């Protein structure tokens, strides 16, 4: 029978949501009264430097943009050659966000001189329609990325512009960067906002530019220790968030160096820590684990960051930020999430998926999650346990995102995701044991979840035991049994075939000779449809292997499974 769960108290988040909404409204009104918003930029404002965004451009996307073919947030949008994307409705809110953030400028400029000419036209049109503060285009998450992208593009864009056009765009960038520093949208993006404003100041010249840079660098130095943890992990626990911040800081560091200015010590320390974290998070296929709201990214993007790492050849640690790695390039590689999701304001992109796994075989992705990320624009339900390769109990997760007014005011933070996760790792003779537990259902269902992994590299086998351990005390369930599900979401391009014995599944990645066999003693084994969100709105169909059964709450249950080569290696 399904568990009877006590209802959540109505309005539990209402006081905080009201307080945050009121503070944000007052901050926005105060920012609107700031002299920086109604005093014109000094007439001597101009372009000085040319900050370099180290993220690689997509040349094919640049050629499409030249023809007016915008493909943002997974949606096509054709304006035709020299069309105007600003005077017509966007196909979705996510598309509008991507359009006004202007990440596409990097791709368009890869088309050379024609791309710079087209970018100049688009930026001048944007300034005429959206150049005054206010409205959607000036919200913090949109403004932050646009300021950075403009700062890295304007010098190239304005190479063939008139003096008046160059001055207009320079003053517009200064106004946007000043506005960005007046916005207080909480700690989770403070470092990124300050870095973007400082990069903009490095691209400009004029009376107020040095003051803007000094304020941005001072605030950045205060924000970074809260954002970048001592081991290099990002406070949100998103591997992608750490990579993106690293790119911004590297751009800023290079710009300051060109001007003969030293970066704040806190910034250099953060860069060193983030470089070490990227080294740890880089999987054998060159990408990142798509966990905790982060996308896998492409191998080329990750390699661009690692090219700046003087210690790139140094072995990465086995654990960082609550994540653990097992194995390597030739055989199985396992990446496990063995820590709680980020809490509070940092949880707006976090996922309540304790003990989730990503598994690669021979350097190819085999098993993972459904890949939710803010950029992927998948449903918020993908942040819960059912969307990850982990254990699930009953019909309710270990927490989920806020909705309604609370989400509008606080962001889609995780609610009821205050679980404890513990992990113990042991190694001997090349073999690795990883024992993990979490208490996400302990209070409601009186069961603790345990996952033990044993990797035998000699046999190329991953042996695992998942336990639901009964706890004493009052149980909030009707009846004596609770359904469980252990999921293995297969990566797109990976096929699965259930064996006749009902206890094993043959798994094979496209283009790979080696097949793998998942054996289990679970009560039932099912193949079910799944989806994988690959970022930028791209969605691909896939499958999932689901082990199902019932847990007797007084006794608990144990499920064993093993992943091994389908036939001996030669």
């Amino acid at each position: 029978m399904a568990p009877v769960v006590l209802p959540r108290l109505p309005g539990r988040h209402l006081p905080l949501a009201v307080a945050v909404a009121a503070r944000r409204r007052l901050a926005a009104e105060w920012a609107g009264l700031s002299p920086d918003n109604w005093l014109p930029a000094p007439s001597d404002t101009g372009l000085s430097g040319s900050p370099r965004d180290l993220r690689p451009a997509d040349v094919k996307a640049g050629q499409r943009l030249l023809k007016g073919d915008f493909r943002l947030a997974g949606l096509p949008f054709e304006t035709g050659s020299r069309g105007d994307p600003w005077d017509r409705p966007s196909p979705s809110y996510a598309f509008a966000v991507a359009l006004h953030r202007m990440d596409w400028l990097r791709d368009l400029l890869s088309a050379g001189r024609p791309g710079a000419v087209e970018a100049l036209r688009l930026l001048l049109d944007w300034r005429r329609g959206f150049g005054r503060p206010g409205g959607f285009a000036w919200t913090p998450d949109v403004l932050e990325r646009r300021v950075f992208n403009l700062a890295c593009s304007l010098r190239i864009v304005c190479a063939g512009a008139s003096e008046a056009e160059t001055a207009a765009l320079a003053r517009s960038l200064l106004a946007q960067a000043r506005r960005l520093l007046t916005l207080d949208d909480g700690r989770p993006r403070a470092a990124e906002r300050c870095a973007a404003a400082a990069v903009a100041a490095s691209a400009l010249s004029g009376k107020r530019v040095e003051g803007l840079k000094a304020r941005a660098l001072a605030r950045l130095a205060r924000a970074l220790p809260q954002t970048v943890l001592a081991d290099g992990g990002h406070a949100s626990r998103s591997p992608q968030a750490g990579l993106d911040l690293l790119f911004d800081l590297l751009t800023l560091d290079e710009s300051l160096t060109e001007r003969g200015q030293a970066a704040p010590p806190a910034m250099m320390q953060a860069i060193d820590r983030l470089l070490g974290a990227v080294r740890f998070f880089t999987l054998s296929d060159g990408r990142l684990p798509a966990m905790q709201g982060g996308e896998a990214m492409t191998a080329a993007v990750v390699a661009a960051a690692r090219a700046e790492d003087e210690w790139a050849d140094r072995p990465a640690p086995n654990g960082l930020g609550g994540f653990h790695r097992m194995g390597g390039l030739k055989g199985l590689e396992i990446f496990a999430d063995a820590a709680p999701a980020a809490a509070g304001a940092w949880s707006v992109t976090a996922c309540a998926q304790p003990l989730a796994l990503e598994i690669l075989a021979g350097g190819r992705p085999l098993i993972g999650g459904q890949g939710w990320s803010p950029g992927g624009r998948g449903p918020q339900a993908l942040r819960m346990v059912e969307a990850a390769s982990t254990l699930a109990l009953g019909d309710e997760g270990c927490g989920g995102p806020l909705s309604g007014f609370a989400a509008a005011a606080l962001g889609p933070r995780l609610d009821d995701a205050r679980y404890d996760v513990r992990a113990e790792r042991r190694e001997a003779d090349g073999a690795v044991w990883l024992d993990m537990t979490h208490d996400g259902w302990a209070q409601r269902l009186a069961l603790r979840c345990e996952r033990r992994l044993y990797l035998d590299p000699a046999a190329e086998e991953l042996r695992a035991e998942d336990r639901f351990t009964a706890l004493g005390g009052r149980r909030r369930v009707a009846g004596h049994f609770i359904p469980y599900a252990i999921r293995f979401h297969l990566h797109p391009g990976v096929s699965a075939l259930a064996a006749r014995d009902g206890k094993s599944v043959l798994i094979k990645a496209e283009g790979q000779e080696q097949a793998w066999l998942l054996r289990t003693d679970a009560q039932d084994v099912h193949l079910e449809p799944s989806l994988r969100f690959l970022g930028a709105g791209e969605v691909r169909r896939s499958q999932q292997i689901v082990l199902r059964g019932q847990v007797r709450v007084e006794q608990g249950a144990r499920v064993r499974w093993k992943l091994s080569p389908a036939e001996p290696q030669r």
Side-chain angles (χ1 to χ4, degrees):
M1 298 181 63
V4 177
V5 181
L6 292 182
R8 296 174 183 173
L9 295 176
R12 183 161 60 90
H13 297 280
L14 184 61
L16 178 59
V18 170
V20 170
R23 180 179 61 82
R24 188 173 296 157
R25 178 66 180 270
L26 289 173
E29 292 181 358
W30 179 259
L33 296 174
S34 171
D36 283 343
N37 289 320
W38 49 266
L39 286 178
S43 58
D44 68 338
T45 302
L47 298 179
S48 175
S50 182
R52 184 171 62 103
D53 187 356
L54 299 177
R55 299 170 179 87
D58 186 336
V59 177
K60 291 183 179 179
Q63 293 298 326
R64 291 195 301 266
L65 288 165
L66 272 179
K67 302 174 184 178
D69 183 2
F70 289 80
R71 300 184 189 182
L72 307 175
L75 295 173
F77 186 66
E78 295 188 12
T79 65
S81 180
R82 295 187 62 78
D84 188 349
W86 315 114
D87 68 347
R88 63 190 72 188
S90 292
S92 71
Y93 177 82
F95 185 98
V97 168
L99 181 66
H100 284 267
R101 282 179 173 176
M102 299 187 182
D103 290 324
W104 46 265
L105 271 174
R106 179 173 58 252
D107 300 332
L108 182 55
L109 293 180
S110 71
R113 181 61 186 158
V117 171
E118 178 66 3
L120 175 62
R121 183 186 69 84
L122 291 171
L123 294 185
L124 291 173
D125 286 348
W126 181 91
R127 179 177 173 273
R128 282 189 286 270
F130 300 93
R132 295 182 63 84
F136 157 80
W138 288 71
T139 51
D141 59 334
V142 177
L143 181 61
E144 172 202 307
R145 298 321 305 163
R146 184 172 64 248
V147 165
F148 181 88
N149 291 318
L150 287 173
C152 295
S153 305
L154 276 192
R155 192 69 178 267
I156 301 173
V157 169
C158 293
S162 68
E163 186 175 331
E165 291 170 336
T166 300
L169 291 177
R171 289 195 296 269
S172 175
L173 176 57
L174 177 59
Q176 293 179 64
R178 292 189 303 188
R179 173 73 171 186
L180 185 59
L181 275 191
T182 66
L183 298 176
D184 180 10
D185 202 38
R187 291 180 300 169
R189 298 299 300 182
E192 288 82 355
R193 288 196 304 272
C194 295
V199 169
S202 298
L204 297 169
S205 62
K207 295 178 181 177
R208 298 192 181 182
V209 169
E210 289 305 315
L212 171 68
K213 185 194 296 182
R215 294 197 304 275
L217 290 176
R219 296 182 188 182
L220 177 64
R222 293 194 295 269
L224 281 173
Q226 301 178 60
T227 306
V228 182
L229 306 182
D231 61 3
H234 194 278
S236 67
R237 299 197 66 236
S238 164
Q240 182 194 353
L243 176 65
D244 283 336
L245 178 57
L246 173 62
F247 273 124
D248 290 357
L249 296 180
L250 289 171
T251 296
L252 178 56
D253 179 45
E254 185 179 85
S255 298
L256 293 174
T257 301
E258 289 178 355
R259 288 175 170 247
Q261 184 174 350
M267 176 177 147
M268 300 310 299
Q269 184 181 59
I271 289 175
D272 289 341
R273 290 175 173 176
L274 288 170
L275 283 169
V278 171
R279 195 184 315 137
F280 166 78
F281 285 122
T282 304
L283 301 174
S284 55
D285 65 349
R287 299 186 297 170
L288 303 180
M291 288 183 167
Q292 291 301 327
E295 296 176 10
M297 311 301 288
T298 65
V301 171
V302 179
R306 296 201 61 181
E308 305 299 316
D309 186 1
E310 296 180 357
W311 306 101
D313 296 331
R314 177 181 292 181
N318 292 319
L320 187 150
F323 295 98
H324 283 265
R325 293 181 60 163
M326 306 166 66
L329 178 63
K330 294 182 179 180
L332 290 173
E333 181 180 17
I334 296 91
F335 200 92
D337 187 352
W346 293 104
S347 72
V348 291
T349 60
C351 298
Q353 299 168 342
L355 315 190
L357 299 178
E358 283 210 14
I359 301 177
L360 287 77
R364 297 284 296 276
L366 200 67
I367 293 168
Q370 290 188 289
W372 182 88
S373 70
R377 302 297 169 183
Q380 293 286 321
L382 297 184
R383 301 170 65 187
M384 301 174 71
V385 290
E386 291 83 358
S389 292
T390 189
L391 306 77
L393 268 176
D395 59 359
E396 189 170 315
C398 297
L402 293 176
S403 59
F405 172 74
L410 303 174
R413 301 182 183 186
L414 289 181
D415 183 29
D416 286 345
R418 296 179 296 274
Y419 49 80
D420 183 39
V421 182
R422 299 188 179 186
E424 181 182 355
R425 182 189 183 104
R426 291 171 290 162
E427 300 185 35
D429 299 327
V432 183
W433 289 262
L434 181 61
D435 291 329
M436 303 176 288
T437 66
H438 81 84
D439 60 359
W441 286 285
Q443 183 177 1
R444 285 171 286 169
L445 306 178
L447 289 166
R448 182 176 63 240
C449 294
E450 304 174 359
R451 168 163 276 181
R452 166 172 284 188
L453 304 176
Y454 171 75
L455 179 63
D456 183 350
E460 294 188 351
E461 286 186 348
L462 174 63
R463 304 169 202 165
E465 182 177 277
D466 291 337
R467 283 182 175 269
F468 303 98
T469 302
L471 303 174
R474 182 180 178 182
R475 302 180 183 90
R476 302 175 182 178
V477 296
H480 299 285
F481 292 91
I482 298 173
Y484 71 77
I486 302 171
R487 290 180 170 83
F488 303 89
H489 291 273
L490 303 180
H491 197 274
V494 175
S495 61
L497 180 64
R500 293 181 179 179
D501 62 7
K503 297 295 181 180
S504 56
V505 179
L506 186 68
I507 308 171
K508 191 172 188 295
E510 184 179 1
Q512 200 170 45
E513 294 184 3
Q514 177 64 64
W516 298 83
L517 196 63
L518 179 70
R519 297 183 179 91
T520 180
D521 61 2
Q523 296 170 15
D524 296 295
V525 179
H526 301 269
L527 284 179
E528 300 178 7
S530 182
L531 295 173
R532 173 77 175 196
F533 288 75
L534 299 175
E538 182 183 358
V539 184
R540 292 183 61 185
R541 295 183 182 274
S542 61
Q543 291 178 289
Q544 59 175 314
I545 303 168
V546 187
L547 315 183
R548 297 187 184 276
Q550 299 283 328
V551 181
R552 189 176 181 91
V553 294
E554 293 85 359
Q555 298 177 356
R558 180 185 69 175
V559 180
R560 291 175 294 185
W561 52 271
K562 180 173 73 170
L563 185 64
S564 59
E567 55 187 29
Q569 293 288 317
R570 297 182 179 179

